[in-house]
C-alpha cells in the first residue's frame, strides 16, 4: 500500500476529509553484524531498509488517542490520561509505550487520530516494532511541536519496550530506524551513542534477506533470559576487574578473567558478546577497505557464535544459513536480529542470487516445512515526514 492509499483509508475510517493530515514513514532495519551486543554496551552495524511503516495522522480536539492499522483487525480508542497499562500482547503497546514515555517525561502531546500501515513482514526480526515506535515519536514531536531532538526521540523506543512492553532490549533497532541513511550502515557504539555512517559499496554483490517465516514463540522471554545471563557474567567478572558492561572487556582480558564465571552457560553467553563485539570492529574495517570476502567470513563467524555460544538460532535459521553457504558466490550468511526465528542476511554475488533463491528455498522447505521468502535489501533513510496535506 502506498501513502496515498493509506491516506484514503484514514479518511474512510475517521471521516472529515476537509481536515489536513500528515504522513510519516519509518523504515525497518537489518543488522549486518553485532548481535546481542547493544544491551552489553558494545558495537553494532545495522542499516535502515526501504520497507517500513506509514503513519497518517492528525490532531483531535478531544484528549484521546485513536489508533488503527491496515495490517491487523485491532483498533483502539483510549483517553490520554488512562495510559498506564499494557493492553494484552497487541501491537498498539509499541505506540502507547512511546506516548507514555513522552507524557512521563513531562511532554504534552494532545489527542490524535492515527492510521498505521506497514510492509515489513511481521515478527521477521526486521524491527517492525521499532519502526512503529519511531514513526510515532517523530509524528508526535512534529505535530505537537515538542522540540525533542532526534537522539532523544530514538531513546523513547527502547524506553517504551523496557518500561511498558516488558522487553529489555537495547537501542540498536530504534537507532537504525531513526538515524539511517540511504546506502549507508551505522557503526554505532551503544554505550556512548557515537556513530559513523559507513557507505555500503558492495561492488558485484548484494545483501539478500531470507525470512524463515517461523513465528518467534517465546522470543521475548528468551530474550530477557539472555539479558539476565549477561548481567550475571558482569557480576562474576567484576570480582576480578570491575566493569559496567561486558563489552568493556577485550577478548584478551576476558580470557584472563573467565575462570570467575561459574556457570558454563553464562560463560558461553559472555564469550559470544565479547568476540562478537570485536568482529564488528573488524567487519567495519574490512568493508571500508573493500575486503568483502573478509566481511563475509566475519558474518559467518558471527552466526556460528550465535548458534553455539548464544544459542539463539534454531533449525530454521541454521538451515537457511547452511544451505546458503553451499552456494558458490555466497560469501557470508548469518541470522539477523534477536534470533529464535526471523531472518538471515547473506552477502551474495550478483550472478548467484537467482540460484541461491532457487536452491535454498526448496531445501529449507523440505527440512523445516516452512516456505522461506527472499528479498534483495535496499538500504533506505531514517524516519521522516513525507508530506503535509
Ligand atoms: C532485538 C533487540 C535489539 C538487539 C537485537 C539483537 O532486535 O530489539 O535491541 O538486542 O535483538 O542484536
Amino acid at each position: 500500500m502506498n501513502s496515498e492509499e493509506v491516506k484514503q483509508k484514514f479518511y474512510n475510517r475517521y471521516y472529515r476529509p476537509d481536515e489536513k493530515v500528515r504522513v510519516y514513514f519509518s523504515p525497518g532495519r537489518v543488522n549486518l553484524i553485532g548481535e546481542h551486543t547493544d544491551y552489553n554496551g558494545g558495537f553494532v552495524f545495522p542499516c535502515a531498509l526501504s520497507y517500513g511503516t506509514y503513519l497518517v495522522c492528525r490532531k483531535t480536539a478531544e484528549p484521546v488517542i485513536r489508533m488503527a492499522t491496515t495490517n491487523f483487525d485491532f483498533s483502539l480508542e483510549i483517553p490520554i490520561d488512562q495510559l498506564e497499562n499494557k493492553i494484552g500482547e497487541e501491537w498498539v503497546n509499541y505506540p502507547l509505550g512511546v506516548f507514555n514515555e513522552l507524557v512521563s517525561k513531562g511532554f504534552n502531546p494532545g489527542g490524535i487520530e492515527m492510521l498505521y500501515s506497514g510492509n515489513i513482514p511481521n515478527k521477521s526480526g526486521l524491527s517492525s516494532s521499532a519502526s512503529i515506535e519511531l514513526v510515532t515519536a517523530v509524528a508526535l514531536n512534529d505535530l505537537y511541536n515538542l522540540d525533542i531532538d532526534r537522539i532523544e526521540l530514538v531513546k523513547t523506543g527502547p524506553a517504551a519496550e523496557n518500561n511498558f512492553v516488558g522487553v529489555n532490549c537495547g537501542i540498536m533497532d530504534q537507532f537504525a530506524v531513526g538515524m539511517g541513511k540511504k546506502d549507508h550502515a551505522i557503526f554505532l557504539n551503544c554505550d556512548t551513542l557515537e556513530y559513523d555512517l559507513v557507505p555500503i559499496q558492495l561492488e558485484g554483490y548484494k545483501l539478500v534477506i531470507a525470512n524463515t517465516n517461523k513465528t518467534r514463540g517465546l522470543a521475548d522471554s528468551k530474550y530477557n533470559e539472555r539479558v539476565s545471563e549477561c548481567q550475571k557474567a558482569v557480576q562474576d567478572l567484576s570480582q576480578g576487574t570491575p566493569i559496567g558492561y561486558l563489552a568493556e572487556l577485550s577478548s584478551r582480558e576476558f580470557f584472563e578473567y573467565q575462570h570467575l564465571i561459574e556457570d558454563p552457560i553464562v560463560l558461553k553467553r559472555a564469550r559470544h558478546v565479547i568476540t562478537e563485539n570485536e568482529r564488528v570492529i573488524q567487519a567495519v574495517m574490512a568493508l571500508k577497505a573493500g575486503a568483502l570476502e573478509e566481511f563475509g567470513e566475519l558474518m559467518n563467524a558471527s552466526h556460528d557464535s550465535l548458534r553455539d555460544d548464544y544459542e539463539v538460532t534454531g533449525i530454521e535459521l541454521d538451515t537457511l544459513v547452511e544451505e546458503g553457504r553451499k552456494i558458490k558466490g555466497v560469501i557470508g550468511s548469518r541470522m539477523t536480529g534477536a534470533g529464535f526465528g526471523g531472518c538471515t542476511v547473506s552477502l551474495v554475488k550478483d550472478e548467484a542470487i537467482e540460484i541461491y533463491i532457487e536452491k535454498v528455498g526448496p531445501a529449507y522447505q523440505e527440512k523445516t516445512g516452512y516456505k522461506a521468502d527472499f528479498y534483495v535489501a535496499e538500504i533506505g533513510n531514517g524516519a521522516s515526514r513525507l508530506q503535509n496535506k
Side-chain angles (χ1 to χ4, degrees):
M1 210 173 286
N2 64 32
S3 61
E4 278 309 309
E5 289 164 331
V6 188
K7 223 160 111 180
Q8 202 43 56
K9 292 217 180 276
F10 179 96
Y11 286 120
N12 295 346
R13 172 174 280 273
Y14 297 119
Y15 313 111
R16 308 196 310 281
D18 49 318
E19 285 180 27
K20 275 190 182 177
V21 293
R22 285 189 187 171
V23 184
Y24 301 85
F25 178 79
S26 176
R29 70 94 190 90
V30 60
N31 187 22
L32 304 184
I33 193 160
E35 223 64 82
H36 291 277
T37 45
D38 62 347
Y39 53 85
N40 287 301
F43 293 108
V44 291
F45 196 44
C47 40
L49 291 169
S50 56
Y51 296 110
T53 313
Y54 291 102
L55 169 61
V56 179
C57 57
R58 74 181 163 205
K59 291 182 189 177
T60 55
E62 322 84 77
V64 294
I65 306 171
R66 299 195 181 102
M67 282 176 180
T69 169
T70 63
N71 293 71
F72 310 99
D73 192 14
F74 183 90
S75 57
L76 174 84
E77 171 164 340
I78 185 170
I80 294 181
D81 59 5
Q82 287 176 25
L83 256 180
E84 286 103 53
N85 295 314
K86 184 176 165 191
I87 299 173
E89 296 305 314
E90 299 297 343
W91 67 276
V92 288
N93 289 309
Y94 300 111
L96 290 180
V98 167
F99 226 96
N100 193 49
E101 269 314 305
L102 292 175
V103 171
S104 69
K105 289 208 164 67
F107 294 103
N108 230 342
I112 189 166
E113 288 174 327
M114 321 169 97
L115 181 66
Y116 294 83
S117 184
N119 54 20
I120 308 171
N122 186 36
K123 296 205 178 209
S124 58
L126 301 177
S127 288
S128 55
S129 46
S131 178
I132 295 175
E133 287 155 12
L134 254 289
V135 83
T136 308
V138 167
L140 288 172
N141 187 40
D142 186 50
L143 211 53
Y144 277 96
N145 298 315
L146 303 179
D147 205 20
I148 307 174
D149 77 35
R150 186 48 77 101
I151 302 272
E152 289 307 312
L153 286 179
V154 161
K155 288 184 189 166
T156 61
E161 300 232 13
N162 298 174
N163 305 330
F164 197 83
V165 179
V167 178
N168 297 324
C169 70
I171 199 167
M172 168 172 75
D173 302 347
Q174 293 82 0
F175 203 96
V177 306
M179 305 294 290
K181 184 171 171 204
K182 192 169 168 37
D183 297 329
H184 288 70
I186 309 176
F187 177 39
L188 170 67
N189 177 331
C190 297
D191 182 19
T192 61
L193 299 190
E194 282 167 293
Y195 68 98
D196 184 15
L197 291 168
V198 181
I200 294 288
Q201 281 158 343
L202 303 175
E203 253 91 298
Y205 287 82
K206 298 235 167 17
L207 291 164
V208 183
I209 295 172
N211 188 353
T212 60
N213 281 316
K214 186 202 168 211
T215 353
R216 299 178 308 158
L218 288 181
D220 292 350
S221 62
K222 291 263 184 221
Y223 185 93
N224 287 348
E225 187 183 291
R226 294 295 180 278
V227 177
S228 329
E229 286 162 347
C230 291
Q231 286 161 351
K232 179 75 179 72
V234 167
Q235 266 175 25
D236 290 354
L237 290 163
S238 287
Q239 293 165 23
T241 175
I243 49 167
Y245 291 119
L246 276 179
E248 283 170 40
L249 295 184
S250 65
S251 48
R252 197 185 45 75
E253 288 163 327
F254 173 68
F255 293 128
E256 191 180 331
Y257 294 108
Q258 63 177 352
H259 62 277
L260 294 168
I261 302 181
E262 270 169 38
D263 183 340
I265 302 271
V266 171
L267 178 71
K268 295 206 297 182
R269 306 301 188 241
R271 187 166 59 208
H272 164 73
V273 172
I274 286 156
T275 57
E276 180 78 353
N277 200 42
E278 294 187 340
R279 278 189 287 272
V280 184
I281 302 169
Q282 289 164 13
V284 173
M285 279 174 11
L287 190 67
K288 283 184 170 170
L292 291 184
E293 299 266 346
E294 189 188 339
F295 190 85
E297 278 162 25
L298 289 158
M299 289 173 80
N300 287 340
S302 166
H303 182 88
D304 298 351
S305 171
L306 288 155
R307 181 192 60 211
D308 302 336
D309 275 352
Y310 221 63
E311 297 180 282
V312 290
T313 57
I315 177 146
E316 294 81 12
L317 288 165
D318 289 337
T319 303
L320 280 182
V321 161
E322 277 157 28
E323 293 299 327
R325 288 181 190 168
K326 288 182 190 163
I327 313 286
K328 195 163 171 282
V330 175
I331 58 172
S333 189
R334 61 180 291 275
M335 57 151 272
T336 182
F340 316 104
C343 289
T344 63
V345 58
S346 306
L347 193 51
V348 186
K349 214 173 192 149
D350 289 340
E351 306 84 80
I353 294 178
E354 229 176 273
I355 185 139
Y356 165 74
I357 297 173
E358 268 168 22
K359 291 255 180 248
V360 174
Y364 171 73
Q365 189 160 9
E366 172 140 350
K367 190 142 180 201
T368 64
Y370 295 104
K371 195 177 159 308
D373 286 319
F374 298 89
Y375 322 84
V376 172
E378 268 179 56
I379 302 178
N381 284 314
S384 65
R385 183 189 336 162
L386 294 186
Q387 60 196 117
N388 240 324
K389 174 90 182 77

